[in-house]
Amino acid sequence: MTNLKKPVFTSPKGKAIHPWVTNADIQFDSEGKYHTKLECKQNECAKIIKAINDEIETKVKAQQELDPNKKITYANKPYVITTEGNCIFNFKTKFKPVLLDNKMNALADEVNVFGDSVLRITFELFGYNMPVGIGCSLRMKTVQVIELVTGTPGGALGDLKVEPDVTPKVQEQPPEIC
């Protein structure tokens, strides 16, 4: 068996959508997973889209050689093309990606990467043939934060501001009727 090293791809710069790259998302997976969507200009993504489609086609050919009569089903692709001419990639991994700033220095652990940050991501393609179908996932390796949008987890404060202390009002209870 040969141990071929998978090629590592680099995304173009793109806008992060719901990034979970600083901390693991444990909502649907107790072990946690790191993931983000990255919106890039479609004209900068041709090489990556071709590589994804070629990986899926390789898995399809392997399935046809194994069982030519089996109906081929496809899983969702790890990208979508928007009507505005952008490509949104879906990256994920079980392992914390290496986080770098725009000068290739390690990002501090306490920095939270929020949506609309501009990122560039290195990743590997992982083709699969599973019950959901034949597909490909993009396994995130390194995230370079070109423009950081940060904050604190929780809701937006909007127009909230510090107000003077107020004495709580005690509401009188009506008499009980027996």
Side-chain angles (χ1 to χ4, degrees):
M1 182 176 172
T2 59
N3 187 6
L4 296 174
K5 186 166 173 84
K6 291 183 174 249
V8 175
F9 295 87
T10 303
S11 74
K13 291 178 188 176
K15 182 174 69 167
I17 302 170
H18 306 299
W20 282 88
V21 295
T22 310
N23 301 304
D25 180 3
I26 58 171
Q27 184 173 3
F28 299 109
D29 183 350
S30 61
E31 293 178 17
K33 119 178 142 170
Y34 298 87
H35 59 93
T36 188
K37 291 180 187 245
L38 190 69
E39 185 173 10
C40 305
K41 294 182 176 135
Q42 183 181 356
N43 61 354
E44 298 174 351
C45 302
K47 179 181 170 187
I48 296 171
I49 291 171
K50 181 180 179 339
I52 292 168
N53 293 336
D54 288 350
E55 182 71 20
I56 292 169
E57 191 57 35
T58 300
K59 290 295 181 181
V60 168
K61 287 179 182 173
Q63 177 59 46
Q64 288 172 336
E65 289 174 9
L66 189 64
D67 184 358
N69 298 322
K70 184 172 181 182
K71 182 180 182 231
I72 302 293
T73 57
Y74 292 91
N76 292 334
K77 289 187 177 179
Y79 67 89
V80 294
I81 306 298
T82 67
T83 55
E84 294 84 26
N86 293 326
C87 183
I88 300 176
F89 292 107
N90 187 16
F91 297 97
K92 57 186 168 183
T93 183
K94 285 193 173 275
F95 307 102
K96 182 170 178 140
V98 175
L99 300 174
L100 302 172
D101 66 13
N102 60 340
K103 292 183 171 68
M104 300 295 288
N105 298 316
L107 212 57
D109 288 339
E110 62 273 0
V111 173
N112 286 318
V113 178
F114 275 51
D116 291 336
S117 291
V118 176
L119 311 176
R120 184 180 292 132
I121 298 174
T122 63
F123 62 97
E124 291 178 342
L125 300 179
F126 180 76
Y128 57 85
N129 186 352
M130 307 283 259
V132 296
I134 294 175
C136 180
S137 65
L138 309 179
R139 294 201 174 158
M140 189 169 28
K141 297 287 188 188
T142 305
V143 176
Q144 182 183 24
V145 181
I146 309 294
E147 294 175 25
L148 177 65
V149 175
T150 190
T152 54
L157 294 178
D159 291 331
L160 296 178
K161 58 186 178 210
V162 175
E163 297 285 348
D165 288 338
V166 221
T167 308
K169 295 180 182 175
V170 178
Q171 184 176 11
E172 291 187 26
Q173 297 290 332
E176 289 186 29
I177 302 174
C178 294

